[in-house]
């Protein structure tokens, strides 16, 4: 059978692994990337890591998430996380948005309303579990619009994102003139990463702002509406955290010698959503020196339905064939159990020849 899992380590992480192996108590941070349906293939890894392996250790662990990664990391903080991840998988796969006559895609208002309803149903009555977890400190990332992007508008918003794209192409830090990183953290936790790389605001994550903060973190521009009012946060339009921090390429060096364990859907840790096409920004930097990435082998991905990971294009590809899309995504998730099985096998008998440079 073709191997599904590949392991990539930064130099500090690789040195640690060779000397000490990998134990649950080594992990200090787990990021959860934006990427929409791609995150579904990480479900079996999430269930193994948070349900079986990580509970073997006592140390606090910082969970950092943007977009679907925020939903995944918040789910890890619930009691009985395995059952919670199974429900997340079911709810995400079964989501559907009806089209009005003549529409080719659902309106942003409709998607936002349905998504908000789904979040409320998922976390209803359980937010306190997330915010008071005895070990996990949750950090939800959203992007707050500044100046022309400070309020959602039919003309100003597209122009603002055009300006953000052009500025970001010149220099990533220039994106901060248009958008700032906002991190909502539970239990008054300090950030597990340095913030000198990009304009950042740090705020408490509370029962009052949990729902809008998580929804903001998942609000893809032009697909969902921005969140305009978040209790305890400055005014402005809040969008998907993946805009500023697509794959959470953050400066985790302050957490060393602890490790950053990153279940991810690819090797590259892309800084921001606007960097997707900027290949020169896809390589590892010293920010990731203490990171171990768990990712699917690209050749194994070709064995999945449609020879790819689930993605947002599937909504268009399958159209109103909700059953066909759900069936394809379910098959991909079931196949992804191989990722978790191989990681468990590697932990039991580490083979350093399988660990590649990040």
């Amino acid at each position: 059978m073709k191997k599904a899992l590949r392991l990539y380590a930064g130099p500090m992480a690789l040195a640690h692994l060779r000397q000490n192996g990998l134990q649950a108590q080594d992990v200090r941070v787990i990021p959860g990337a934006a990427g929409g349906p791609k995150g579904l293939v990480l479900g079996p890894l999430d269930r193994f890591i948070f349900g079986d392996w990580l509970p073997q250790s006592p140390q606090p662990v910082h969970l950092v998430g943007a977009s679907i990664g925020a939903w995944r990391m918040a789910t890890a903080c619930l009691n009985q996380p395995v059952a919670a991840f199974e429900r997340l998988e079911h709810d995400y796969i079964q989501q559907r948005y009806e089209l009005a006559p003549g529409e080719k895609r659902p309106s942003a208002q409709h998607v936002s309303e349905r998504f908000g309803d789904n979040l409320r149903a998922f976390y209803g009555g359980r937010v306190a579990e997330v915010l008071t977890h005895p070990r996990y400190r949750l950090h939800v990332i959203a992007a707050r619009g500044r100046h022309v992007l400070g309020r959602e508008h039919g003309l100003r918003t597209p122009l603002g994102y055009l300006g953000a794209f052009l500025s970001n192409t010149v220099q990533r830090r220039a994106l901060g003139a248009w958008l700032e990183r906002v991190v909502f953290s539970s239990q008054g936790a300090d950030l597990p990463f340095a913030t000198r790389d990009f304009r950042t605001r740090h705020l408490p994550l509370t029962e009052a702002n949990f729902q809008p903060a998580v929804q903001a973190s998942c609000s893809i521009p032009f697909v969902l509406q921005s969140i305009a009012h978040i209790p305890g946060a400055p005014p402005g339009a809040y969008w998907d955290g993946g805009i500023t921090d697509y794959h959470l390429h953050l400066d985790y060096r302050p957490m060393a010698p602890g490790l950053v364990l990153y279940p991810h859907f690819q090797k590259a840790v892309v800084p921001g959503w606007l960097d997707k096409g900027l290949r020169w920004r896809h390589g590892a930097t010293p920010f990731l020196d203490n990171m171990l990435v768990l990712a699917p082998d690209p050749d194994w991905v070709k064995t999945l339905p449609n020879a790819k990971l689930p993605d947002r294009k599937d909504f268009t590809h399958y159209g109103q064939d909700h059953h066909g899309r759900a069936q394809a995504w379910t098959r991909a998730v079931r196949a992804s159990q191989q990722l978790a099985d191989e990681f468990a096998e590697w932990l039991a008998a580490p083979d350093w020849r399988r660990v590649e440079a990040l």
Side-chain angles (χ1 to χ4, degrees), residues 53-220:
W53 185 64
L54 203 55
Q56 299 173 18
S57 63
Q59 83 283 5
V61 181
H62 294 272
L63 310 183
V64 185
S67 201
I68 191 175
W71 193 354
R72 287 173 49 225
M73 295 301 100
T75 299
C77 298
L78 291 170
N79 298 336
Q80 299 179 321
V82 172
F85 277 118
E86 289 172 345
R87 181 180 173 186
L88 185 157
E89 179 183 297
H90 173 272
D91 289 1
Y92 198 97
I93 289 174
Q94 296 302 324
Q95 65 180 313
R96 59 178 62 191
Y97 303 97
E98 306 301 332
L99 297 178
E103 280 188 339
K104 293 184 178 180
R105 54 185 289 181
S107 68
Q109 179 181 354
H110 174 63
V111 177
S112 290
E113 289 174 352
R114 291 292 296 274
F115 185 72
D117 290 343
N118 290 341
L119 279 183
R120 280 185 287 273
F122 190 88
Y123 292 107
R126 305 188 68 185
V127 173
E129 292 178 32
V130 177
L131 300 182
T132 61
H133 193 281
R135 292 182 58 203
Y136 302 153
R137 306 295 180 260
L138 177 64
H139 307 271
V140 174
I141 297 181
R144 174 178 176 261
R146 305 183 65 230
H147 308 306
V148 70
L149 289 176
R151 180 170 61 88
E152 189 164 11
H153 183 272
L155 179 60
R156 289 161 56 93
T157 298
L159 290 175
Y161 273 105
L162 175 60
F165 172 79
L166 295 174
S167 298
N168 181 73
T169 301
V170 175
Q171 185 182 53
R172 174 165 158 76
R173 289 180 67 92
L175 178 63
W178 304 87
L179 295 149
E180 68 177 356
R181 172 195 295 145
V182 181
V183 189
F184 297 88
S185 299
S186 66
Q187 302 188 51
D190 293 333
L191 293 178
F193 51 85
T195 59
R196 292 181 294 273
D197 64 314
F198 195 79
R199 183 185 182 95
T200 303
R201 191 182 298 264
H202 188 204
L203 301 170
L205 184 64
T206 67
E207 290 210 37
N209 66 24
F210 175 84
Q211 166 79 25
V214 173
Q215 182 162 350
S217 184
C218 298
S219 292
I220 304 166

